[in-house]
Amino acid sequence: CPYTASVQSAAVGLNSVGVQSGPVSIIVVGDYNNDDEKDGNDDGDKHGFSTLQKSQAINLLYSFWSSVTYLLSSTEQISSTILLVDPTYDDDFTSFYKTCDDIIESSVVATDSTKYIGRAWFHPLYDADIVQHTNVLPGHAIPHDMVQSFADKLEAQQQQERRREKKITLNRENIALANNLVRRTPHATVNILRRSQLEAASKYERNLPEKNRIAPNSIYVRNVKKLL
């Protein structure tokens, strides 16, 4: 994120659009212990979900909404954004993203909370090719092919600048590698953001002088290039 300087200082540089910087709150979801699961005695319900998997989802959902309540009831100086960390999902990316997509995201939409919060999923094994989304999907990285199209467009628009930069070949393979790395964290994590800050950042960028204005979608290309 171009507006986060450190864990202690997020939403930096947005004072002109009414945003005060503040710390990143890190909240860890509690572990769930189930003796049957650990002993291999839980064969799952009729849908194949084990007691542990269902409890994991419940814990994450509960922690998500508790965190949303905390964020929106706090000032920006107390909590600018939240990283909700759930190590119980660290070895299972598929279960994590399906819980986020099918349960958390569904609850956000059902409660019309998109007007208040943004969200993003991160995982040690994040892989957009497993998700197989071809369009922008809430919470997920931009699809690799979409980042490729952004890179191609910027390349055509900024040939002079590109000649002065480090020569980096952007193809589907290395874009996919770096685009996944952007979403990889030490632990399974849900980033909960303030919608007001996201809108303020967009307003700030629109108000920049034309020579300083950030090209649309260039952040995704810039992030990829930094990781290559």
Side-chain angles (χ1 to χ4, degrees):
C1 174
Y3 301 106
T4 299
S6 67
V7 173
Q8 290 76 32
S9 189
V12 174
L14 297 175
N15 298 67
S16 63
V17 285
V19 174
Q20 300 298 315
S21 63
V24 177
S25 298
I26 300 176
I27 299 173
V28 180
V29 179
D31 196 358
Y32 174 81
N33 295 311
N34 182 274
D35 293 336
D36 287 340
E37 177 70 19
K38 294 181 183 299
D39 292 339
N41 297 323
D42 190 346
D43 295 326
D45 61 14
K46 63 180 180 180
H47 300 293
F49 296 108
S50 69
T51 300
L52 179 60
Q53 288 174 316
K54 288 184 285 188
S55 296
Q56 281 179 305
I58 291 170
N59 285 348
L60 182 56
L61 181 64
Y62 175 81
S63 297
F64 174 82
W65 284 108
S66 296
S67 299
V68 169
T69 300
Y70 172 74
L71 181 69
L72 298 183
S73 63
S74 303
T75 64
E76 292 173 331
Q77 294 95 326
I78 291 176
S79 180
S80 180
T81 185
I82 288 178
L83 295 178
L84 179 61
V85 180
D86 191 344
T88 67
Y89 280 104
D90 284 358
D91 297 325
D92 191 349
F93 171 59
T94 298
S95 291
F96 175 70
Y97 91 77
K98 287 187 175 180
T99 298
C100 291
D101 287 355
D102 298 342
I103 300 177
I104 291 179
E105 181 62 21
S106 295
S107 70
V108 171
V109 173
T111 56
D112 199 23
S113 296
T114 55
K115 64 179 70 172
Y116 304 113
I117 58 170
R119 49 263 172 241
W121 326 138
F122 297 84
H123 194 275
L125 304 174
Y126 190 94
D127 189 342
D129 287 327
I130 292 177
V131 183
Q132 296 185 331
H133 59 306
T134 56
N135 296 308
V136 175
L137 186 63
H140 284 281
I142 298 296
H144 302 326
D145 290 339
M146 195 172 288
V147 176
Q148 175 83 67
S149 69
F150 296 157
D152 292 344
K153 185 175 293 186
L154 284 172
E155 181 74 22
Q157 293 174 344
Q158 302 176 355
Q159 289 184 0
Q160 294 298 324
E161 290 81 355
R162 291 294 183 264
R163 292 193 188 102
R164 294 193 292 267
E165 292 182 3
K166 175 184 175 182
K167 183 63 177 177
I168 298 176
T169 301
L170 293 178
N171 54 42
R172 177 58 165 72
E173 182 178 358
N174 57 29
I175 282 178
L177 173 64
N179 200 40
N180 284 331
L181 286 174
V182 169
R183 289 302 182 104
R184 288 184 181 171
T185 47
H187 299 290
T189 301
V190 175
N191 185 194
I192 306 171
L193 307 105
R194 295 176 183 266
R195 177 62 61 190
S196 59
Q197 290 185 351
L198 297 174
E199 293 175 350
S202 296
K203 180 180 179 181
Y204 169 78
E205 292 172 6
R206 290 195 304 270
N207 292 340
L208 286 172
E210 187 171 352
K211 65 178 181 179
N212 297 330
R213 201 164 295 164
I214 302 170
N217 303 311
S218 62
I219 181 64
Y220 307 112
V221 181
R222 187 163 70 245
N223 285 343
V224 163
K225 294 184 74 173
K226 282 183 178 179
L227 290 169
L228 289 177

